Short mmCIF file of all heavy atoms in Angstrom, two decimals:
data_model
loop_
_atom_site.label_atom_id
_atom_site.label_comp_id
_atom_site.label_asym_id
_atom_site.label_seq_id
_atom_site.Cartn_x
_atom_site.Cartn_y
_atom_site.Cartn_z
N MET A 1 0.85 -1.19 -0.02
CA MET A 1 0.04 0.02 0.01
C MET A 1 0.88 1.20 0.01
O MET A 1 1.83 1.34 0.75
CB MET A 1 -0.87 -0.03 1.23
CG MET A 1 -1.82 1.16 1.29
SD MET A 1 -2.94 1.09 2.70
CE MET A 1 -4.45 1.08 1.81
N SER A 2 0.57 2.18 -0.87
CA SER A 2 1.35 3.39 -0.97
C SER A 2 1.14 4.32 0.24
O SER A 2 0.03 4.45 0.75
CB SER A 2 0.90 4.16 -2.27
OG SER A 2 1.22 3.32 -3.37
N THR A 3 2.20 5.04 0.54
CA THR A 3 2.15 6.11 1.56
C THR A 3 1.64 7.33 0.86
O THR A 3 2.07 7.73 -0.20
CB THR A 3 3.50 6.29 2.20
OG1 THR A 3 3.98 5.11 2.77
CG2 THR A 3 3.44 7.41 3.26
N LYS A 4 0.66 8.04 1.51
CA LYS A 4 0.09 9.26 0.90
C LYS A 4 0.92 10.50 1.42
O LYS A 4 0.94 10.75 2.64
CB LYS A 4 -1.38 9.36 1.32
CG LYS A 4 -2.16 8.25 0.75
CD LYS A 4 -3.63 8.28 1.18
CE LYS A 4 -4.36 7.12 0.63
NZ LYS A 4 -5.82 7.14 1.05
N VAL A 5 1.47 11.15 0.44
CA VAL A 5 2.29 12.39 0.78
C VAL A 5 1.59 13.62 0.25
O VAL A 5 1.10 13.67 -0.92
CB VAL A 5 3.65 12.25 0.11
CG1 VAL A 5 4.52 13.52 0.27
CG2 VAL A 5 4.42 11.04 0.60
N LEU A 6 1.57 14.66 1.08
CA LEU A 6 0.94 15.96 0.64
C LEU A 6 2.13 16.95 0.65
O LEU A 6 2.82 17.10 1.61
CB LEU A 6 -0.08 16.39 1.66
CG LEU A 6 -0.61 17.84 1.63
CD1 LEU A 6 -1.29 18.03 0.20
CD2 LEU A 6 -1.63 18.14 2.66
N ILE A 7 2.19 17.66 -0.51
CA ILE A 7 3.13 18.80 -0.63
C ILE A 7 2.28 20.06 -0.75
O ILE A 7 1.50 20.21 -1.66
CB ILE A 7 3.99 18.58 -1.82
CG1 ILE A 7 4.84 17.30 -1.71
CG2 ILE A 7 4.97 19.82 -2.01
CD1 ILE A 7 5.70 16.99 -2.98
N CYS A 8 2.42 20.95 0.24
CA CYS A 8 1.67 22.18 0.28
C CYS A 8 2.59 23.39 0.24
O CYS A 8 3.39 23.63 1.08
CB CYS A 8 0.86 22.26 1.66
SG CYS A 8 -0.25 23.67 1.75
N ASP A 9 2.47 24.12 -0.88
CA ASP A 9 3.32 25.37 -1.10
C ASP A 9 2.56 26.18 -2.15
O ASP A 9 1.95 25.69 -3.09
CB ASP A 9 4.68 24.88 -1.62
CG ASP A 9 5.72 26.00 -1.58
OD1 ASP A 9 5.42 27.04 -2.12
OD2 ASP A 9 6.77 25.76 -0.91
N ASP A 10 2.60 27.51 -1.98
CA ASP A 10 1.91 28.40 -2.96
C ASP A 10 2.72 28.43 -4.32
O ASP A 10 2.09 28.96 -5.21
CB ASP A 10 1.67 29.71 -2.34
CG ASP A 10 2.99 30.44 -1.77
OD1 ASP A 10 3.78 29.74 -1.20
OD2 ASP A 10 3.08 31.63 -2.09
N SER A 11 3.94 28.05 -4.33
CA SER A 11 4.74 28.07 -5.51
C SER A 11 4.65 26.72 -6.25
O SER A 11 5.08 25.68 -5.77
CB SER A 11 6.21 28.39 -5.17
OG SER A 11 7.07 28.10 -6.28
N LYS A 12 4.14 26.74 -7.49
CA LYS A 12 4.03 25.57 -8.31
C LYS A 12 5.42 25.01 -8.60
O LYS A 12 5.64 23.78 -8.52
CB LYS A 12 3.36 25.87 -9.63
CG LYS A 12 3.12 24.69 -10.52
CD LYS A 12 2.34 25.08 -11.75
CE LYS A 12 2.02 23.88 -12.63
NZ LYS A 12 1.25 24.17 -13.79
N ARG A 13 6.41 25.86 -8.74
CA ARG A 13 7.75 25.39 -8.98
C ARG A 13 8.31 24.67 -7.77
O ARG A 13 8.94 23.58 -7.85
CB ARG A 13 8.62 26.57 -9.33
CG ARG A 13 10.17 26.28 -9.44
CD ARG A 13 10.98 27.41 -9.64
NE ARG A 13 11.37 27.34 -11.10
CZ ARG A 13 11.85 28.34 -11.74
NH1 ARG A 13 12.10 29.44 -11.21
NH2 ARG A 13 12.15 28.23 -13.07
N ALA A 14 8.05 25.22 -6.58
CA ALA A 14 8.50 24.53 -5.37
C ALA A 14 7.84 23.11 -5.12
O ALA A 14 8.44 22.18 -4.71
CB ALA A 14 8.22 25.44 -4.17
N ARG A 15 6.53 23.15 -5.47
CA ARG A 15 5.78 21.86 -5.40
C ARG A 15 6.38 20.80 -6.25
O ARG A 15 6.71 19.65 -5.87
CB ARG A 15 4.30 22.05 -5.63
CG ARG A 15 3.57 22.78 -4.60
CD ARG A 15 2.06 22.66 -4.84
NE ARG A 15 1.61 23.12 -6.15
CZ ARG A 15 1.29 24.34 -6.54
NH1 ARG A 15 1.29 25.32 -5.64
NH2 ARG A 15 0.84 24.53 -7.67
N LYS A 16 6.68 21.15 -7.52
CA LYS A 16 7.27 20.18 -8.47
C LYS A 16 8.69 19.81 -8.06
O LYS A 16 9.00 18.57 -8.14
CB LYS A 16 7.30 20.87 -9.83
CG LYS A 16 5.97 20.89 -10.56
CD LYS A 16 6.11 21.46 -11.93
CE LYS A 16 4.74 21.37 -12.70
NZ LYS A 16 4.94 21.77 -14.10
N GLN A 17 9.45 20.77 -7.58
CA GLN A 17 10.83 20.36 -7.18
C GLN A 17 10.84 19.47 -6.03
O GLN A 17 11.64 18.51 -5.95
CB GLN A 17 11.63 21.73 -6.90
CG GLN A 17 13.03 21.43 -6.53
CD GLN A 17 13.80 20.86 -7.71
OE1 GLN A 17 13.59 21.12 -8.85
NE2 GLN A 17 14.75 19.92 -7.40
N MET A 18 9.96 19.71 -5.10
CA MET A 18 9.89 18.87 -3.87
C MET A 18 9.47 17.41 -4.28
O MET A 18 10.09 16.45 -3.85
CB MET A 18 8.80 19.38 -2.87
CG MET A 18 8.71 18.65 -1.63
SD MET A 18 10.23 18.80 -0.68
CE MET A 18 9.99 17.78 0.67
N ALA A 19 8.53 17.37 -5.20
CA ALA A 19 8.06 16.02 -5.70
C ALA A 19 9.17 15.31 -6.40
O ALA A 19 9.41 14.07 -6.21
CB ALA A 19 6.83 16.11 -6.59
N ARG A 20 9.96 16.00 -7.23
CA ARG A 20 11.08 15.40 -7.94
C ARG A 20 12.24 15.00 -7.00
O ARG A 20 12.97 14.12 -7.35
CB ARG A 20 11.63 16.41 -8.98
CG ARG A 20 10.86 16.36 -10.21
CD ARG A 20 11.51 17.27 -11.20
NE ARG A 20 11.13 18.59 -10.81
CZ ARG A 20 11.18 19.67 -11.57
NH1 ARG A 20 11.67 19.68 -12.76
NH2 ARG A 20 10.76 20.86 -11.12
N SER A 21 12.31 15.59 -5.82
CA SER A 21 13.38 15.33 -4.90
C SER A 21 13.16 14.05 -4.13
O SER A 21 14.08 13.51 -3.50
CB SER A 21 13.69 16.44 -3.97
OG SER A 21 12.66 16.55 -2.97
N LEU A 22 11.92 13.56 -4.07
CA LEU A 22 11.60 12.37 -3.40
C LEU A 22 12.12 11.11 -4.12
O LEU A 22 11.98 11.05 -5.42
CB LEU A 22 10.16 12.22 -3.10
CG LEU A 22 9.57 13.42 -2.21
CD1 LEU A 22 8.03 13.30 -2.16
CD2 LEU A 22 10.17 13.41 -0.88
N PRO A 23 12.71 10.17 -3.46
CA PRO A 23 13.29 8.99 -4.18
C PRO A 23 12.24 8.24 -5.00
O PRO A 23 11.13 7.99 -4.60
CB PRO A 23 13.78 8.12 -3.07
CG PRO A 23 14.06 9.04 -1.92
CD PRO A 23 12.99 10.12 -2.03
N SER A 24 12.53 7.93 -6.21
CA SER A 24 11.61 7.28 -7.16
C SER A 24 11.29 5.83 -6.70
O SER A 24 10.24 5.37 -7.02
CB SER A 24 12.25 7.24 -8.54
OG SER A 24 13.51 6.49 -8.54
N GLU A 25 12.14 5.26 -5.88
CA GLU A 25 11.87 3.89 -5.42
C GLU A 25 10.84 3.83 -4.18
O GLU A 25 10.42 2.82 -3.85
CB GLU A 25 13.17 3.09 -5.07
CG GLU A 25 13.89 3.71 -3.91
CD GLU A 25 14.90 4.71 -4.36
OE1 GLU A 25 15.00 5.08 -5.49
OE2 GLU A 25 15.65 5.24 -3.46
N TRP A 26 10.53 4.98 -3.67
CA TRP A 26 9.51 5.09 -2.58
C TRP A 26 8.13 4.72 -3.21
O TRP A 26 7.78 5.23 -4.28
CB TRP A 26 9.51 6.41 -1.93
CG TRP A 26 10.71 6.65 -1.08
CD1 TRP A 26 11.76 5.85 -0.81
CD2 TRP A 26 10.82 7.84 -0.22
NE1 TRP A 26 12.56 6.48 0.10
CE2 TRP A 26 12.06 7.68 0.50
CE3 TRP A 26 10.07 8.95 -0.02
CZ2 TRP A 26 12.53 8.59 1.31
CZ3 TRP A 26 10.59 9.88 0.87
CH2 TRP A 26 11.73 9.71 1.56
N ASP A 27 7.32 3.95 -2.47
CA ASP A 27 5.97 3.62 -2.91
C ASP A 27 5.05 4.79 -2.30
O ASP A 27 4.55 4.58 -1.15
CB ASP A 27 5.60 2.29 -2.40
CG ASP A 27 4.24 1.82 -2.87
OD1 ASP A 27 3.71 2.41 -3.87
OD2 ASP A 27 3.69 0.88 -2.26
N ILE A 28 4.89 5.80 -3.06
CA ILE A 28 4.11 6.94 -2.48
C ILE A 28 3.10 7.45 -3.54
O ILE A 28 3.25 7.29 -4.73
CB ILE A 28 4.99 8.11 -2.10
CG1 ILE A 28 5.86 8.64 -3.28
CG2 ILE A 28 5.82 7.73 -0.84
CD1 ILE A 28 6.67 9.81 -2.96
N GLU A 29 2.05 8.12 -3.06
CA GLU A 29 1.00 8.78 -3.89
C GLU A 29 1.09 10.21 -3.40
O GLU A 29 0.99 10.55 -2.25
CB GLU A 29 -0.40 8.29 -3.62
CG GLU A 29 -0.61 6.91 -4.12
CD GLU A 29 -2.01 6.41 -3.76
OE1 GLU A 29 -2.91 7.30 -3.73
OE2 GLU A 29 -2.08 5.20 -3.53
N ILE A 30 1.37 11.11 -4.34
CA ILE A 30 1.56 12.52 -3.96
C ILE A 30 0.35 13.37 -4.37
O ILE A 30 -0.17 13.28 -5.42
CB ILE A 30 2.88 13.16 -4.70
CG1 ILE A 30 4.13 12.38 -4.32
CG2 ILE A 30 2.99 14.62 -4.42
CD1 ILE A 30 5.37 12.71 -5.14
N SER A 31 -0.03 14.21 -3.35
CA SER A 31 -1.13 15.18 -3.55
C SER A 31 -0.51 16.55 -3.34
O SER A 31 0.49 16.71 -2.62
CB SER A 31 -2.25 14.96 -2.48
OG SER A 31 -2.88 13.71 -2.62
N PHE A 32 -1.09 17.54 -3.96
CA PHE A 32 -0.58 18.85 -3.84
C PHE A 32 -1.78 19.88 -3.36
O PHE A 32 -2.90 19.60 -3.60
CB PHE A 32 -0.18 19.38 -5.25
CG PHE A 32 1.02 18.50 -5.86
CD1 PHE A 32 0.76 17.57 -6.78
CD2 PHE A 32 2.29 18.78 -5.42
CE1 PHE A 32 1.78 16.83 -7.27
CE2 PHE A 32 3.33 18.04 -5.98
CZ PHE A 32 3.08 17.08 -6.88
N ALA A 33 -1.27 20.91 -2.67
CA ALA A 33 -2.16 21.93 -2.24
C ALA A 33 -1.39 23.31 -2.35
O ALA A 33 -0.21 23.31 -2.13
CB ALA A 33 -2.61 21.78 -0.81
N GLU A 34 -2.16 24.34 -2.75
CA GLU A 34 -1.56 25.72 -2.90
C GLU A 34 -1.53 26.50 -1.60
O GLU A 34 -0.79 27.47 -1.51
CB GLU A 34 -2.26 26.46 -3.89
CG GLU A 34 -2.03 25.87 -5.33
CD GLU A 34 -2.70 26.74 -6.41
OE1 GLU A 34 -2.80 27.96 -6.26
OE2 GLU A 34 -3.10 26.17 -7.42
N HIS A 35 -2.35 26.15 -0.64
CA HIS A 35 -2.38 26.87 0.64
C HIS A 35 -3.04 25.95 1.71
O HIS A 35 -3.45 24.86 1.37
CB HIS A 35 -3.20 28.14 0.50
CG HIS A 35 -4.51 28.04 -0.15
ND1 HIS A 35 -5.59 27.56 0.51
CD2 HIS A 35 -4.90 28.41 -1.39
CE1 HIS A 35 -6.67 27.55 -0.28
NE2 HIS A 35 -6.29 28.04 -1.41
N GLY A 36 -3.00 26.44 2.92
CA GLY A 36 -3.49 25.66 4.05
C GLY A 36 -4.92 25.16 3.91
O GLY A 36 -5.23 24.05 4.34
N GLU A 37 -5.80 25.93 3.43
CA GLU A 37 -7.24 25.52 3.31
C GLU A 37 -7.36 24.34 2.34
O GLU A 37 -8.13 23.43 2.69
CB GLU A 37 -8.16 26.73 2.90
CG GLU A 37 -8.30 27.66 4.03
CD GLU A 37 -9.29 28.80 3.67
OE1 GLU A 37 -9.89 28.77 2.52
OE2 GLU A 37 -9.49 29.67 4.49
N GLU A 38 -6.61 24.41 1.26
CA GLU A 38 -6.69 23.29 0.32
C GLU A 38 -6.02 22.01 0.99
O GLU A 38 -6.61 20.91 0.84
CB GLU A 38 -5.91 23.55 -0.96
CG GLU A 38 -6.59 24.41 -1.93
CD GLU A 38 -5.85 24.47 -3.21
OE1 GLU A 38 -4.85 23.81 -3.49
OE2 GLU A 38 -6.29 25.26 -4.08
N ALA A 39 -4.96 22.25 1.76
CA ALA A 39 -4.33 21.16 2.47
C ALA A 39 -5.35 20.49 3.43
O ALA A 39 -5.38 19.27 3.60
CB ALA A 39 -3.07 21.60 3.20
N LEU A 40 -6.07 21.24 4.16
CA LEU A 40 -7.07 20.79 5.11
C LEU A 40 -8.08 19.84 4.40
O LEU A 40 -8.53 18.78 4.96
CB LEU A 40 -7.82 21.88 5.84
CG LEU A 40 -7.06 22.46 7.02
CD1 LEU A 40 -7.92 23.70 7.66
CD2 LEU A 40 -6.77 21.48 8.13
N GLU A 41 -8.53 20.22 3.21
CA GLU A 41 -9.42 19.37 2.50
C GLU A 41 -8.86 18.04 2.09
O GLU A 41 -9.43 16.98 2.19
CB GLU A 41 -9.93 20.15 1.30
CG GLU A 41 -10.77 21.32 1.53
CD GLU A 41 -11.98 21.04 2.40
OE1 GLU A 41 -12.69 20.01 2.15
OE2 GLU A 41 -12.25 21.79 3.33
N VAL A 42 -7.58 18.08 1.64
CA VAL A 42 -6.83 16.86 1.34
C VAL A 42 -6.68 15.98 2.59
O VAL A 42 -6.95 14.76 2.53
CB VAL A 42 -5.47 17.15 0.78
CG1 VAL A 42 -4.60 15.93 0.53
CG2 VAL A 42 -5.53 17.92 -0.60
N ILE A 43 -6.37 16.59 3.67
CA ILE A 43 -6.23 15.87 4.97
C ILE A 43 -7.55 15.23 5.40
O ILE A 43 -7.60 14.04 5.77
CB ILE A 43 -5.62 16.79 6.06
CG1 ILE A 43 -4.22 17.17 5.71
CG2 ILE A 43 -5.72 16.13 7.40
CD1 ILE A 43 -3.68 18.41 6.44
N LYS A 44 -8.67 16.01 5.31
CA LYS A 44 -9.94 15.50 5.71
C LYS A 44 -10.42 14.39 4.82
O LYS A 44 -11.10 13.48 5.26
CB LYS A 44 -10.98 16.65 5.61
CG LYS A 44 -10.86 17.69 6.71
CD LYS A 44 -11.85 18.83 6.52
CE LYS A 44 -11.69 19.85 7.59
NZ LYS A 44 -12.57 21.02 7.36
N ALA A 45 -9.96 14.34 3.56
CA ALA A 45 -10.25 13.23 2.67
C ALA A 45 -9.44 12.03 2.95
O ALA A 45 -9.69 10.97 2.30
CB ALA A 45 -10.09 13.74 1.21
N GLY A 46 -8.50 12.15 3.83
CA GLY A 46 -7.66 11.02 4.19
C GLY A 46 -6.50 10.74 3.20
O GLY A 46 -6.00 9.64 3.16
N ASP A 47 -6.09 11.79 2.46
CA ASP A 47 -5.11 11.60 1.48
C ASP A 47 -3.72 12.20 1.90
O ASP A 47 -2.96 12.65 1.02
CB ASP A 47 -5.54 12.28 0.14
CG ASP A 47 -6.75 11.54 -0.49
OD1 ASP A 47 -6.81 10.34 -0.30
OD2 ASP A 47 -7.54 12.19 -1.10
N ALA A 48 -3.46 12.15 3.18
CA ALA A 48 -2.15 12.71 3.62
C ALA A 48 -1.70 11.89 4.92
O ALA A 48 -2.37 11.89 5.96
CB ALA A 48 -2.22 14.12 3.95
N GLU A 49 -0.53 11.22 4.76
CA GLU A 49 0.02 10.63 5.96
C GLU A 49 1.31 11.32 6.32
O GLU A 49 1.68 11.37 7.47
CB GLU A 49 0.36 9.13 5.63
CG GLU A 49 -0.92 8.28 5.34
CD GLU A 49 -0.57 6.87 4.90
OE1 GLU A 49 -0.20 6.74 3.71
OE2 GLU A 49 -0.67 6.00 5.74
N ILE A 50 2.00 11.86 5.34
CA ILE A 50 3.20 12.62 5.52
C ILE A 50 2.97 13.97 4.79
O ILE A 50 2.49 13.97 3.63
CB ILE A 50 4.44 11.92 4.87
CG1 ILE A 50 4.76 10.65 5.62
CG2 ILE A 50 5.67 12.86 4.99
CD1 ILE A 50 5.79 9.76 4.99
N MET A 51 3.43 15.05 5.39
CA MET A 51 3.13 16.36 4.79
C MET A 51 4.47 17.22 4.80
O MET A 51 5.23 17.27 5.72
CB MET A 51 2.13 17.16 5.60
CG MET A 51 0.74 16.45 5.59
SD MET A 51 -0.43 17.38 6.52
CE MET A 51 0.08 16.94 8.16
N PHE A 52 4.64 17.89 3.65
CA PHE A 52 5.67 18.90 3.55
C PHE A 52 4.94 20.20 3.41
O PHE A 52 4.24 20.41 2.37
CB PHE A 52 6.63 18.63 2.35
CG PHE A 52 7.40 17.35 2.46
CD1 PHE A 52 6.88 16.19 1.86
CD2 PHE A 52 8.55 17.33 3.12
CE1 PHE A 52 7.56 15.00 1.94
CE2 PHE A 52 9.27 16.11 3.32
CZ PHE A 52 8.72 14.95 2.71
N ILE A 53 5.14 21.14 4.32
CA ILE A 53 4.32 22.36 4.37
C ILE A 53 5.13 23.59 4.35
O ILE A 53 6.03 23.77 5.25
CB ILE A 53 3.39 22.36 5.63
CG1 ILE A 53 2.47 21.08 5.73
CG2 ILE A 53 2.53 23.61 5.65
CD1 ILE A 53 1.89 20.93 7.02
N ASP A 54 4.82 24.51 3.41
CA ASP A 54 5.47 25.85 3.41
C ASP A 54 4.86 26.66 4.53
O ASP A 54 3.69 26.52 4.83
CB ASP A 54 5.19 26.50 2.00
CG ASP A 54 5.81 27.84 1.86
OD1 ASP A 54 6.75 28.21 2.61
OD2 ASP A 54 5.47 28.60 0.90
N LEU A 55 5.70 27.40 5.20
CA LEU A 55 5.25 28.27 6.31
C LEU A 55 4.56 29.54 5.86
O LEU A 55 3.52 29.96 6.42
CB LEU A 55 6.34 28.59 7.28
CG LEU A 55 6.86 27.36 8.00
CD1 LEU A 55 7.99 27.81 8.99
CD2 LEU A 55 5.78 26.65 8.82
N ASN A 56 5.02 30.15 4.80
CA ASN A 56 4.51 31.36 4.26
C ASN A 56 3.65 31.18 3.03
O ASN A 56 4.23 30.95 1.95
CB ASN A 56 5.64 32.38 3.95
CG ASN A 56 6.45 32.67 5.22
OD1 ASN A 56 5.82 33.03 6.21
ND2 ASN A 56 7.78 32.62 5.19
N MET A 57 2.35 31.27 3.21
CA MET A 57 1.40 31.12 2.07
C MET A 57 0.23 32.01 2.22
O MET A 57 -0.03 32.41 3.34
CB MET A 57 0.92 29.63 1.96
CG MET A 57 1.95 28.60 1.70
SD MET A 57 1.23 26.94 1.72
CE MET A 57 0.88 26.68 3.49
N PRO A 58 -0.43 32.33 1.12
CA PRO A 58 -1.61 33.14 1.17
C PRO A 58 -2.79 32.29 1.71
O PRO A 58 -2.70 31.08 1.83
CB PRO A 58 -1.90 33.64 -0.21
CG PRO A 58 -1.31 32.59 -1.07
CD PRO A 58 -0.10 32.07 -0.24
N VAL A 59 -3.90 32.89 2.01
CA VAL A 59 -5.16 32.31 2.50
C VAL A 59 -4.98 31.67 3.88
O VAL A 59 -5.58 32.18 4.83
CB VAL A 59 -5.69 31.26 1.43
CG1 VAL A 59 -7.03 30.62 1.97
CG2 VAL A 59 -5.82 31.74 0.11
N MET A 60 -4.10 30.57 4.04
CA MET A 60 -3.82 30.01 5.36
C MET A 60 -2.40 29.65 5.33
O MET A 60 -2.02 28.74 4.46
CB MET A 60 -4.79 28.88 5.63
CG MET A 60 -4.42 28.20 7.02
SD MET A 60 -5.34 26.69 7.34
CE MET A 60 -6.98 27.34 7.59
N ASP A 61 -1.55 30.18 6.16
CA ASP A 61 -0.15 29.79 6.21
C ASP A 61 0.08 28.44 6.82
O ASP A 61 -0.86 27.81 7.42
CB ASP A 61 0.71 30.87 6.81
CG ASP A 61 0.48 31.10 8.27
OD1 ASP A 61 -0.08 30.17 8.99
OD2 ASP A 61 0.77 32.18 8.78
N GLY A 62 1.33 27.94 6.81
CA GLY A 62 1.57 26.67 7.38
C GLY A 62 1.39 26.49 8.86
O GLY A 62 0.97 25.51 9.37
N LEU A 63 1.80 27.60 9.55
CA LEU A 63 1.55 27.51 11.05
C LEU A 63 0.07 27.46 11.43
O LEU A 63 -0.30 26.69 12.26
CB LEU A 63 2.22 28.68 11.68
CG LEU A 63 3.73 28.68 11.70
CD1 LEU A 63 4.31 29.96 12.36
CD2 LEU A 63 4.35 27.49 12.37
N SER A 64 -0.73 28.20 10.66
CA SER A 64 -2.17 28.17 10.95
C SER A 64 -2.80 26.80 10.60
O SER A 64 -3.66 26.27 11.29
CB SER A 64 -2.87 29.24 10.13
OG SER A 64 -2.54 30.48 10.53
N LEU A 65 -2.22 26.19 9.48
CA LEU A 65 -2.60 24.84 9.18
C LEU A 65 -2.32 23.85 10.28
O LEU A 65 -3.23 23.07 10.69
CB LEU A 65 -1.89 24.36 7.87
CG LEU A 65 -2.06 22.90 7.44
CD1 LEU A 65 -3.49 22.59 7.26
CD2 LEU A 65 -1.26 22.63 6.24
N ILE A 66 -1.16 23.96 10.81
CA ILE A 66 -0.79 23.03 11.94
C ILE A 66 -1.59 23.30 13.11
O ILE A 66 -2.07 22.33 13.79
CB ILE A 66 0.71 23.21 12.28
CG1 ILE A 66 1.64 22.72 11.08
CG2 ILE A 66 1.13 22.55 13.54
CD1 ILE A 66 3.08 23.11 11.13
N GLU A 67 -1.95 24.53 13.41
CA GLU A 67 -2.82 24.82 14.58
C GLU A 67 -4.23 24.22 14.35
O GLU A 67 -4.84 23.71 15.31
CB GLU A 67 -2.98 26.32 14.76
CG GLU A 67 -1.70 26.99 15.34
CD GLU A 67 -1.77 28.50 15.38
OE1 GLU A 67 -2.86 29.08 14.94
OE2 GLU A 67 -0.87 29.11 15.88
N ASN A 68 -4.67 24.24 13.19
CA ASN A 68 -6.04 23.67 12.85
C ASN A 68 -6.00 22.18 12.88
O ASN A 68 -7.11 21.58 13.13
CB ASN A 68 -6.47 24.12 11.45
CG ASN A 68 -7.09 25.46 11.39
OD1 ASN A 68 -8.26 25.59 11.81
ND2 ASN A 68 -6.36 26.53 11.12
N LEU A 69 -4.86 21.56 12.78
CA LEU A 69 -4.82 20.11 12.78
C LEU A 69 -4.99 19.68 14.25
O LEU A 69 -5.47 18.65 14.58
CB LEU A 69 -3.56 19.58 12.20
CG LEU A 69 -3.37 19.69 10.70
CD1 LEU A 69 -2.07 19.28 10.32
CD2 LEU A 69 -4.45 18.98 9.97
#
C-alpha cells in the first residue's frame, strides 16, 4: 500500500521540485495543495500521511494549518 504524501506550497515550481526530490523507489502517492485551506481538504479526505508544508502562504499559512490540525 502506498504512503500518501501531501506537498503544500503556494509556488508551483517549489511543489514540483519537492516532488522530484523524493526517491523514485519510494511507494508513494503525492497530492498537492496551494495553501493551508486546500491542504485541510486533502487531509480531511484521508489523502495525507506525511506532509511537507510551506510556512508562508496566502489564504492560510503553514503555522495556521498546523494549529487547525
Side-chain angles (χ1 to χ4, degrees):
M1 179 177 243
S2 299
T3 300
K4 297 176 181 180
V5 174
L6 171 61
I7 299 173
C8 182
D9 196 303
D10 56 317
S11 166
K12 185 176 183 177
R13 174 181 258 168
R15 291 191 306 269
K16 285 184 174 186
Q17 184 61 36
M18 184 66 180
R20 278 183 283 198
S21 72
L22 299 174
S24 60
E25 63 271 6
W26 286 5
D27 184 18
I28 57 175
E29 293 177 32
I30 301 174
S31 297
F32 299 98
E34 290 184 30
H35 51 75
E37 286 185 4
E38 280 188 9
L40 279 176
E41 293 303 316
V42 173
I43 294 163
K44 286 177 184 177
D47 292 330
E49 296 173 281
I50 297 173
M51 297 179 285
F52 296 96
I53 305 168
D54 183 15
L55 294 180
N56 298 311
M57 297 179 287
V59 183
M60 179 186 289
D61 65 23
L63 292 176
S64 296
L65 171 59
I66 292 168
E67 287 174 359
N68 277 279
L69 293 175

